[in-house]
Coordinates of all heavy atoms in Angstrom, one line a residue:
M297 N 102.2 117.1 117.2 CA 102.2 115.8 116.6 C 100.9 115.5 115.9 O 100.8 114.9 114.9 CB 102.6 114.8 117.6 CG 102.7 113.4 117.0 SD 104.0 113.3 115.8 CE 104.6 111.7 116.2
G298 N 99.8 115.9 116.6 CA 98.5 115.6 116.0 C 98.2 116.2 114.7 O 97.6 115.7 113.8
Q299 N 98.8 117.4 114.5 CA 98.6 118.2 113.2 C 99.4 117.4 112.1 O 98.9 117.4 111.0 CB 99.1 119.6 113.4 CG 98.2 120.4 114.2 CD 98.7 121.9 114.4 OE1 99.9 122.0 114.4 NE2 97.8 122.8 114.5
I300 N 100.5 116.9 112.5 CA 101.3 116.2 111.4 C 100.5 114.9 111.0 O 100.4 114.7 109.8 CB 102.7 115.8 112.0 CG1 103.5 117.0 112.3 CG2 103.4 114.8 111.1 CD1 104.8 116.8 113.1
I301 N 100.0 114.2 111.9 CA 99.2 113.0 111.6 C 98.0 113.4 110.8 O 97.7 112.7 109.8 CB 98.8 112.2 112.9 CG1 100.1 111.7 113.7 CG2 97.9 111.0 112.5 CD1 101.0 110.8 113.0
A302 N 97.3 114.4 111.2 CA 96.1 114.8 110.5 C 96.4 115.2 109.1 O 95.7 114.9 108.1 CB 95.4 116.0 111.2
Y303 N 97.5 115.9 108.9 CA 97.9 116.3 107.6 C 98.3 115.2 106.7 O 97.9 115.0 105.5 CB 99.1 117.3 107.6 CG 99.5 117.8 106.3 CD1 98.8 118.8 105.7 CD2 100.7 117.4 105.7 CE1 99.2 119.3 104.4 CE2 101.1 117.9 104.5 CZ 100.3 118.8 103.8 OH 100.7 119.3 102.6
Y304 N 99.0 114.2 107.3 CA 99.4 113.0 106.5 C 98.1 112.2 106.1 O 98.0 111.8 104.9 CB 100.2 112.0 107.5 CG 100.5 110.7 106.8 CD1 101.5 110.6 105.8 CD2 99.8 109.6 107.2 CE1 101.7 109.4 105.2 CE2 100.1 108.4 106.5 CZ 101.0 108.3 105.6 OH 101.3 107.1 105.1
K305 N 97.2 112.1 107.0 CA 95.9 111.4 106.6 C 95.1 112.1 105.5 O 94.6 111.5 104.6 CB 95.0 111.2 107.9 CG 95.6 110.2 108.8 CD 94.7 110.1 110.1 CE 95.2 109.0 111.0 NZ 94.3 108.9 112.2
Y306 N 95.1 113.4 105.7 CA 94.4 114.3 104.7 C 95.0 114.1 103.3 O 94.4 113.8 102.3 CB 94.4 115.7 105.1 CG 94.0 116.7 104.1 CD1 92.7 116.8 103.7 CD2 94.9 117.5 103.4 CE1 92.2 117.7 102.8 CE2 94.5 118.4 102.5 CZ 93.2 118.5 102.1 OH 92.7 119.4 101.2
Q307 N 96.4 114.2 103.2 CA 97.1 114.1 102.0 C 97.0 112.7 101.4 O 96.7 112.6 100.1 CB 98.5 114.5 102.1 CG 98.7 116.0 102.4 CD 98.2 116.9 101.3 OE1 98.4 116.6 100.1 NE2 97.7 118.0 101.7
T308 N 97.1 111.7 102.1 CA 97.1 110.3 101.6 C 95.6 110.0 101.1 O 95.4 109.3 100.1 CB 97.5 109.3 102.6 OG1 96.7 109.4 103.8 CG2 98.9 109.4 102.9
T309 N 94.6 110.5 101.8 CA 93.2 110.3 101.4 C 93.0 111.0 100.1 O 92.4 110.4 99.2 CB 92.2 110.9 102.4 OG1 92.4 110.2 103.7 CG2 90.8 110.7 102.0
K310 N 93.5 112.2 99.9 CA 93.4 112.9 98.6 C 94.0 112.1 97.5 O 93.4 111.9 96.4 CB 94.0 114.3 98.6 CG 93.1 115.3 99.2 CD 93.7 116.8 99.3 CE 94.8 117.0 98.3 NZ 95.4 118.4 98.4
I311 N 95.2 111.6 97.7 CA 95.9 110.8 96.6 C 95.2 109.5 96.3 O 95.0 109.2 95.1 CB 97.4 110.5 97.1 CG1 98.2 111.8 97.2 CG2 98.1 109.5 96.2 CD1 99.5 111.7 97.9
I312 N 94.8 108.8 97.3 CA 94.1 107.5 97.1 C 92.8 107.7 96.3 O 92.5 107.0 95.4 CB 93.9 106.8 98.4 CG1 95.2 106.3 99.0 CG2 92.9 105.6 98.3 CD1 95.2 105.8 100.5
N313 N 92.0 108.7 96.8 CA 90.8 109.0 96.1 C 91.0 109.5 94.7 O 90.2 109.2 93.8 CB 90.0 110.1 96.9 CG 89.3 109.5 98.1 OD1 89.1 108.3 98.2 ND2 89.1 110.3 99.1
K314 N 92.1 110.1 94.4 CA 92.4 110.6 93.1 C 92.7 109.4 92.2 O 92.2 109.2 91.1 CB 93.5 111.6 93.0 CG 93.8 112.1 91.6 CD 94.8 113.2 91.7 CE 95.1 113.7 90.3 NZ 96.1 114.8 90.2
I315 N 93.5 108.5 92.7 CA 93.9 107.2 92.0 C 92.7 106.4 91.7 O 92.5 105.8 90.6 CB 95.0 106.5 92.7 CG1 96.3 107.3 92.7 CG2 95.2 105.1 92.2 CD1 97.4 106.8 93.7
D316 N 91.9 106.2 92.7 CA 90.7 105.3 92.6 C 89.5 106.0 92.1 O 88.4 105.3 91.9 CB 90.3 104.7 94.0 CG 91.4 103.8 94.5 OD1 92.3 103.3 93.7 OD2 91.4 103.5 95.7
D317 N 89.5 107.3 91.8 CA 88.4 108.0 91.3 C 87.2 107.9 92.2 O 86.1 107.5 91.8 CB 88.0 107.6 89.9 CG 87.1 108.6 89.2 OD1 87.1 109.8 89.6 OD2 86.3 108.2 88.3
T318 N 87.5 108.1 93.5 CA 86.5 108.0 94.6 C 86.5 109.3 95.4 O 86.8 109.2 96.6 CB 86.7 106.8 95.4 OG1 88.0 106.8 96.0 CG2 86.5 105.5 94.7
P319 N 86.1 110.4 94.9 CA 86.2 111.7 95.6 C 85.3 111.6 96.9 O 84.1 111.2 96.8 CB 85.7 112.7 94.6 CG 84.9 112.0 93.6 CD 85.5 110.6 93.5
G320 N 85.8 112.1 97.9 CA 85.1 112.1 99.2 C 85.0 110.9 100.0 O 84.5 110.9 101.1
L321 N 85.5 109.8 99.5 CA 85.5 108.5 100.2 C 86.4 108.5 101.4 O 87.6 108.9 101.3 CB 85.8 107.4 99.3 CG 85.8 106.0 99.9 CD1 84.3 105.6 100.2 CD2 86.3 104.9 98.9
R322 N 86.0 108.1 102.6 CA 86.9 108.1 103.8 C 87.8 106.9 103.6 O 87.4 105.8 103.2 CB 86.1 107.9 105.0 CG 85.4 109.1 105.4 CD 84.5 108.9 106.7 NE 84.2 110.2 107.3 CZ 84.7 110.6 108.4 NH1 85.6 109.9 109.1 NH2 84.4 111.8 108.8
I323 N 89.0 107.1 103.9 CA 90.0 106.0 103.9 C 90.4 105.5 105.2 O 90.6 104.4 105.5 CB 91.3 106.5 103.1 CG1 90.9 107.0 101.7 CG2 92.4 105.5 103.1 CD1 90.3 106.0 100.8
W324 N 90.6 106.5 106.1 CA 91.1 106.1 107.5 C 90.0 105.8 108.4 O 88.9 106.4 108.4 CB 91.9 107.3 108.1 CG 93.2 107.5 107.3 CD1 93.4 108.4 106.2 CD2 94.4 106.9 107.6 NE1 94.7 108.3 105.8 CE2 95.3 107.4 106.6 CE3 94.9 106.0 108.5 CZ2 96.7 107.0 106.6 CZ3 96.2 105.7 108.5 CH2 97.1 106.2 107.6
Q325 N 90.3 104.8 109.3 CA 89.3 104.4 110.3 C 89.0 105.5 111.3 O 89.9 106.2 111.7 CB 89.9 103.2 111.0 CG 88.9 102.6 112.1 CD 89.6 101.4 112.8 OE1 90.7 100.9 112.4 NE2 88.9 100.9 113.7
R326 N 87.7 105.7 111.6 CA 87.4 106.8 112.5 C 87.8 106.3 113.9 O 87.9 105.2 114.3 CB 85.9 107.0 112.5 CG 85.3 107.6 111.2 CD 83.9 107.9 111.3 NE 83.7 108.8 112.4 CZ 82.5 109.2 112.8 NH1 81.4 108.8 112.2 NH2 82.4 110.0 113.8
N327 N 88.1 107.3 114.8 CA 88.5 107.1 116.1 C 89.7 106.2 116.2 O 89.9 105.5 117.2 CB 87.4 106.5 117.0 CG 86.1 107.4 117.0 OD1 86.3 108.6 117.0 ND2 85.0 106.8 116.9
Y328 N 90.6 106.3 115.2 CA 91.8 105.5 115.3 C 92.8 106.1 116.3 O 92.9 107.3 116.4 CB 92.5 105.6 113.8 CG 93.7 104.9 113.7 CD1 93.8 103.5 113.7 CD2 94.9 105.6 113.7 CE1 95.0 102.8 113.5 CE2 96.2 104.9 113.6 CZ 96.2 103.5 113.5 OH 97.3 102.8 113.4
Y329 N 93.4 105.2 117.0 CA 94.3 105.7 118.1 C 95.8 105.6 117.6 O 96.3 104.6 117.3 CB 94.1 104.8 119.3 CG 95.1 105.1 120.5 CD1 94.8 106.3 121.2 CD2 96.1 104.3 120.8 CE1 95.7 106.6 122.3 CE2 96.9 104.5 121.9 CZ 96.7 105.7 122.6 OH 97.6 106.0 123.6
D330 N 96.4 106.8 117.5 CA 97.8 106.9 117.1 C 98.6 106.9 118.3 O 98.3 107.5 119.3 CB 98.1 108.2 116.3 CG 97.3 108.2 115.0 OD1 97.3 107.2 114.3 OD2 96.7 109.3 114.7
R331 N 99.8 106.3 118.3 CA 100.7 106.3 119.4 C 102.2 106.2 118.9 O 102.4 105.6 117.9 CB 100.4 105.2 120.5 CG 100.5 103.8 120.0 CD 100.1 102.9 121.0 NE 100.1 101.5 120.4 CZ 100.5 100.5 121.1 NH1 100.9 100.5 122.3 NH2 100.4 99.3 120.5
I332 N 103.0 106.6 119.7 CA 104.5 106.4 119.5 C 105.0 105.1 120.2 O 104.7 105.0 121.3 CB 105.3 107.7 119.9 CG1 104.8 108.9 119.2 CG2 106.8 107.4 119.8 CD1 105.4 110.2 119.7
I333 N 105.7 104.3 119.4 CA 106.3 103.1 120.0 C 107.6 103.4 120.5 O 108.5 103.8 119.7 CB 106.2 102.0 118.9 CG1 104.8 101.7 118.5 CG2 107.0 100.7 119.5 CD1 104.6 100.7 117.4
R334 N 107.9 103.3 121.8 CA 109.1 103.6 122.4 C 110.0 102.4 122.8 O 111.2 102.6 123.1 CB 109.0 104.5 123.6 CG 108.4 105.8 123.2 CD 108.2 106.7 124.5 NE 107.9 108.0 124.1 CZ 106.6 108.5 124.1 NH1 105.6 107.7 124.5 NH2 106.4 109.7 123.8
Y335 N 109.5 101.2 122.8 CA 110.2 100.1 123.4 C 110.2 98.9 122.4 O 109.2 98.7 121.7 CB 109.6 99.6 124.7 CG 109.5 100.7 125.7 CD1 108.4 101.4 126.0 CD2 110.7 101.1 126.4 CE1 108.3 102.4 126.9 CE2 110.7 102.1 127.3 CZ 109.5 102.8 127.6 OH 109.5 103.8 128.5
Q336 N 111.3 98.2 122.3 CA 111.4 97.1 121.4 C 110.3 96.0 121.6 O 109.8 95.5 120.6 CB 112.8 96.4 121.5 CG 113.1 95.3 120.5 CD 113.1 95.9 119.1 OE1 113.8 96.9 118.8 NE2 112.5 95.2 118.2
K337 N 110.0 95.7 122.8 CA 109.0 94.7 123.0 C 107.6 95.1 122.4 O 106.9 94.3 121.9 CB 108.9 94.4 124.5 CG 107.8 93.3 124.8 CD 107.8 92.9 126.3 CE 106.7 91.9 126.5 NZ 107.0 90.8 127.3
I338 N 107.3 96.3 122.6 CA 106.0 96.9 122.1 C 106.0 96.9 120.6 O 105.0 96.5 119.9 CB 105.7 98.2 122.6 CG1 105.6 98.3 124.1 CG2 104.5 98.8 122.0 CD1 104.5 97.4 124.7
L339 N 107.2 97.2 120.0 CA 107.4 97.1 118.5 C 107.2 95.7 118.0 O 106.5 95.4 117.0 CB 108.8 97.7 118.2 CG 109.1 97.6 116.7 CD1 108.1 98.4 115.8 CD2 110.5 98.2 116.4
D340 N 107.8 94.7 118.7 CA 107.7 93.3 118.3 C 106.2 92.9 118.4 O 105.7 92.2 117.5 CB 108.5 92.4 119.2 CG 110.0 92.7 119.0 OD1 110.4 93.2 118.0 OD2 110.8 92.3 120.0
I341 N 105.4 93.3 119.4 CA 104.0 93.0 119.5 C 103.2 93.6 118.4 O 102.4 92.9 117.8 CB 103.5 93.4 120.9 CG1 104.1 92.5 122.0 CG2 102.0 93.3 120.9 CD1 103.8 93.0 123.4
A342 N 103.5 94.8 118.1 CA 102.9 95.5 117.0 C 103.1 94.8 115.6 O 102.2 94.7 114.8 CB 103.3 97.0 116.9
R343 N 104.4 94.4 115.4 CA 104.7 93.7 114.2 C 104.0 92.4 114.0 O 103.5 92.1 113.0 CB 106.2 93.5 114.1 CG 107.0 94.8 113.8 CD 108.5 94.5 113.8 NE 109.2 95.7 113.3 CZ 110.4 95.9 113.5 NH1 111.2 95.0 114.2 NH2 111.0 97.0 113.0
Q344 N 103.9 91.7 115.2 CA 103.2 90.4 115.2 C 101.7 90.7 114.8 O 101.1 89.9 114.1 CB 103.3 89.8 116.6 CG 102.6 88.4 116.7 CD 102.7 87.9 118.1 OE1 103.0 88.6 119.0 NE2 102.6 86.5 118.1
Y345 N 101.1 91.7 115.4 CA 99.7 92.0 115.1 C 99.5 92.3 113.6 O 98.6 91.8 113.0 CB 99.3 93.2 116.0 CG 97.9 93.7 115.7 CD1 96.8 93.1 116.1 CD2 97.7 94.8 114.8 CE1 95.5 93.5 115.8 CE2 96.5 95.2 114.5 CZ 95.4 94.6 115.0 OH 94.1 95.1 114.6
I346 N 100.4 93.1 113.1 CA 100.3 93.5 111.7 C 100.4 92.3 110.7 O 99.6 92.2 109.8 CB 101.4 94.5 111.3 CG1 101.1 95.9 112.0 CG2 101.5 94.7 109.8 CD1 102.2 96.9 112.0
V347 N 101.2 91.3 111.1 CA 101.4 90.1 110.2 C 100.2 89.2 110.4 O 99.7 88.7 109.4 CB 102.7 89.4 110.6 CG1 102.7 88.0 110.0 CG2 103.9 90.2 110.2
K348 N 99.7 89.0 111.6 CA 98.6 88.1 111.8 C 97.2 88.6 111.6 O 96.3 87.9 111.4 CB 98.7 87.5 113.3 CG 99.9 86.6 113.5 CD 99.9 86.1 114.9 CE 101.0 85.1 115.1 NZ 100.9 84.4 116.4
N349 N 97.0 89.9 111.7 CA 95.7 90.5 111.7 C 94.9 90.1 110.3 O 93.8 89.7 110.4 CB 95.8 92.0 111.9 CG 94.4 92.6 112.1 OD1 93.6 92.0 112.9 ND2 94.1 93.7 111.4
P350 N 95.6 90.3 109.1 CA 94.8 89.9 108.0 C 94.3 88.4 107.9 O 93.2 88.1 107.3 CB 95.8 90.1 106.8 CG 96.8 91.1 107.4 CD 96.9 90.7 108.8
L351 N 95.0 87.6 108.6 CA 94.6 86.2 108.6 C 93.3 86.0 109.5 O 92.7 84.9 109.3 CB 95.7 85.3 109.3 CG 97.0 85.4 108.5 CD1 98.1 84.7 109.3 CD2 96.9 84.9 107.1
R352 N 93.0 86.9 110.3 CA 91.8 86.8 111.1 C 90.6 87.6 110.6 O 89.6 87.8 111.2 CB 92.1 87.3 112.6 CG 93.1 86.5 113.3 CD 93.2 86.8 114.7 NE 93.5 88.3 114.9 CZ 94.7 88.7 115.3 NH1 95.6 87.9 115.6 NH2 94.8 90.0 115.5
W353 N 90.7 88.2 109.4 CA 89.6 89.1 108.8 C 88.3 88.4 108.7 O 87.3 89.0 109.0 CB 90.1 89.6 107.5 CG 89.1 90.5 106.8 CD1 88.5 90.3 105.6 CD2 88.5 91.7 107.3 NE1 87.7 91.3 105.3 CE2 87.6 92.2 106.3 CE3 88.6 92.4 108.5 CZ2 86.8 93.3 106.5 CZ3 87.8 93.5 108.7 CH2 87.0 94.0 107.7
D354 N 88.2 87.1 108.4 CA 87.0 86.4 108.3 C 86.2 86.3 109.7 O 85.0 86.1 109.7 CB 87.2 85.1 107.7 CG 88.0 84.1 108.5 OD1 88.9 84.6 109.3 OD2 87.7 82.9 108.5
K355 N 86.9 86.5 110.7 CA 86.3 86.5 112.1 C 86.2 87.9 112.8 O 85.8 87.9 113.9 CB 87.1 85.5 113.0 CG 87.0 84.1 112.4 CD 87.8 83.1 113.3 CE 87.7 81.7 112.8 NZ 88.5 80.8 113.5
D356 N 86.6 88.9 112.1 CA 86.7 90.2 112.7 C 85.2 90.8 112.8 O 84.5 90.7 111.8 CB 87.5 91.1 111.8 CG 87.8 92.5 112.5 OD1 86.9 93.2 112.8 OD2 89.0 92.7 112.7
P357 N 84.9 91.3 113.9 CA 83.5 91.8 114.1 C 83.2 93.1 113.2 O 82.1 93.4 112.9 CB 83.5 92.3 115.5 CG 84.8 92.1 116.1 CD 85.6 91.4 115.2
N358 N 84.3 93.7 112.7 CA 84.1 94.8 111.7 C 84.0 94.3 110.3 O 83.7 95.1 109.4 CB 85.2 95.8 111.8 CG 85.2 96.5 113.1 OD1 84.2 97.0 113.6 ND2 86.4 96.6 113.7
N359 N 84.1 93.0 110.0 CA 84.0 92.5 108.6 C 82.4 92.2 108.5 O 81.9 91.4 109.2 CB 84.8 91.2 108.5 CG 84.7 90.5 107.2 OD1 83.8 90.9 106.4 ND2 85.5 89.6 106.9
P360 N 81.9 92.8 107.5 CA 80.4 92.5 107.3 C 80.1 91.1 106.9 O 78.9 90.7 107.1 CB 80.0 93.5 106.1 CG 81.3 93.9 105.5 CD 82.4 93.7 106.5
R361 N 81.1 90.3 106.5 CA 80.8 88.9 106.1 C 81.5 88.0 107.1 O 81.8 86.9 106.8 CB 81.3 88.6 104.7 CG 80.6 89.4 103.7 CD 81.2 89.2 102.3 NE 82.5 89.8 102.3 CZ 83.2 90.2 101.3 NH1 82.6 90.0 100.1 NH2 84.4 90.8 101.4
R362 N 81.7 88.5 108.4 CA 82.3 87.7 109.3 C 81.7 86.5 109.8 O 80.5 86.3 109.7 CB 82.6 88.6 110.6 CG 81.3 88.8 111.4 CD 81.7 89.7 112.6 NE 80.5 90.1 113.3 CZ 80.1 89.5 114.4 NH1 80.8 88.6 115.0 NH2 79.0 89.9 115.0
G363 N 82.5 85.5 110.3 CA 82.0 84.3 110.7 C 82.0 84.1 112.2 O 81.8 83.0 112.8
G364 N 82.3 85.1 113.0 CA 82.4 85.0 114.5 C 83.2 86.2 115.0 O 83.3 87.2 114.5
V365 N 83.7 86.0 116.2 CA 84.5 87.0 117.0 C 86.0 86.7 116.8 O 86.4 85.6 116.8 CB 84.1 87.0 118.4 CG1 84.8 88.0 119.2 CG2 82.6 87.2 118.6
S366 N 86.7 87.8 116.7 CA 88.2 87.7 116.5 C 88.8 87.0 117.8 O 88.4 87.3 118.9 CB 88.8 89.0 116.4 OG 88.5 89.7 115.2
P367 N 89.7 86.1 117.5 CA 90.4 85.4 118.7 C 91.4 86.5 119.3 O 91.8 87.4 118.6 CB 91.1 84.3 118.0 CG 91.3 84.7 116.6 CD 90.2 85.6 116.2
P368 N 91.7 86.3 120.5 CA 92.7 87.2 121.2 C 94.0 87.1 120.6 O 94.4 86.0 120.0 CB 92.7 86.8 122.7 CG 92.2 85.4 122.6 CD 91.3 85.2 121.4
L369 N 94.9 88.1 120.7 CA 96.3 88.0 120.3 C 97.0 87.0 121.1 O 96.8 86.9 122.3 CB 97.0 89.4 120.4 CG 96.5 90.5 119.5 CD1 97.2 91.8 119.8 CD2 96.9 90.1 118.1
E370 N 97.9 86.3 120.4 CA 98.7 85.3 121.2 C 99.9 85.9 121.7 O 100.5 86.8 121.3 CB 99.2 84.2 120.2 CG 97.9 83.4 119.7 CD 98.4 82.4 118.6 OE1 99.6 82.3 118.3 OE2 97.5 81.7 118.1

């Protein structure tokens, strides 16, 4: 499974860098944790996170222009 994810990341990075004319630019977050979602409840939580996460970008500690610390997930 790890090889499939690595290949996907490699190929998508090549395509994005070609479109954006940014050879060698990293696209994927380092130390990213991949996992398989097996249960509906976990899927619902992940979907909620995906929808709400961009709204918290101004407070994200990884945002160089952040205004504080990210609030916990509800």
Side-chain angles (χ1 to χ4, degrees):
M297 182 63 140
Q299 290 177 328
I300 294 169
I301 300 296
Y303 183 74
Y304 174 79
K305 290 179 177 181
Y306 169 73
Q307 291 299 324
T308 56
T309 298
K310 278 183 20 180
I311 293 167
I312 292 167
N313 284 336
K314 184 175 181 181
I315 291 169
D316 291 345
D317 193 26
T318 54
L321 182 68
R322 286 180 163 248
I323 302 299
W324 291 91
Q325 180 179 357
R326 292 184 60 183
N327 300 323
Y328 179 76
Y329 178 71
D330 297 313
R331 64 185 173 140
I332 297 171
I333 297 174
R334 294 184 171 95
Y335 303 101
Q336 184 65 44
K337 181 173 177 139
I338 302 299
L339 178 59
D340 293 340
I341 291 169
R343 286 177 172 161
Q344 180 182 23
Y345 173 82
I346 291 167
V347 169
K348 290 184 175 184
N349 193 46
L351 302 173
R352 297 191 302 254
W353 177 235
D354 63 329
K355 295 181 181 173
D356 192 301
N358 293 314
N359 180 349
R361 295 176 293 206
R362 72 183 172 103
V365 179
S366 294
L369 287 174
E370 295 175 1

